[in-house]
Amino acid sequence: MPFIGDIGIPGLLIILVIALLVLGPGKLPEVGNALGRGLREFRRATDLSSEPQAAAASRGHASAVPGETNEQKIARLEQERDDLAATLRASEAAKSVRTDEGSSAS
């Protein structure tokens, strides 16, 4: 960040004193934490957008296999779709069982 070198230590101290006067000593750590979390989320979002395969892998999707033919890719994606559909059906069934148990208990 080249602009930080232009500000220098006295400039940073002036900014810190102004922030302390405006926000107060109690709010300053909260604002710092929120700013840090925001920067972390921004970096994470930009890293994921620059690496789509890594993002897909982190979400649990199978990444592309080198040398894979289109037919193999289609078969792999269909299998993944079927697995996700089965997971969804199981989740919906479990939810309906919990709902049925809750209504019969009343």
Side-chain angles (χ1 to χ4, degrees):
M1 298 178 141
F3 66 88
I4 290 181
D6 295 338
I7 294 175
I9 300 294
L12 288 175
L13 289 174
I14 291 171
I15 292 172
L16 182 62
V17 168
I18 292 172
L20 189 60
L21 291 173
V22 171
L23 299 173
K27 281 283 192 189
L28 199 56
E30 294 173 25
V31 171
N33 285 337
L35 185 62
R37 277 192 303 269
L39 286 173
R40 243 179 277 123
E41 289 297 320
F42 178 75
R43 285 184 186 152
R44 190 173 299 135
T46 55
D47 287 344
L48 292 178
S49 66
S50 64
E51 299 175 11
Q53 286 186 351
S58 70
R59 289 190 304 265
H61 298 291
S63 60
V65 178
E68 181 180 47
T69 66
N70 286 337
E71 290 81 15
Q72 291 170 331
K73 186 175 186 177
I74 290 170
R76 180 177 50 82
L77 291 173
E78 286 175 342
Q79 179 63 42
E80 186 176 319
R81 179 200 62 205
D82 294 342
D83 292 345
L84 289 172
T87 303
L88 179 62
R89 281 192 300 272
S91 174
E92 291 294 325
K95 190 187 317 180
S96 72
V97 167
R98 284 192 300 259
T99 305
D100 292 343
E101 288 175 353
S103 63
S104 64
S106 8

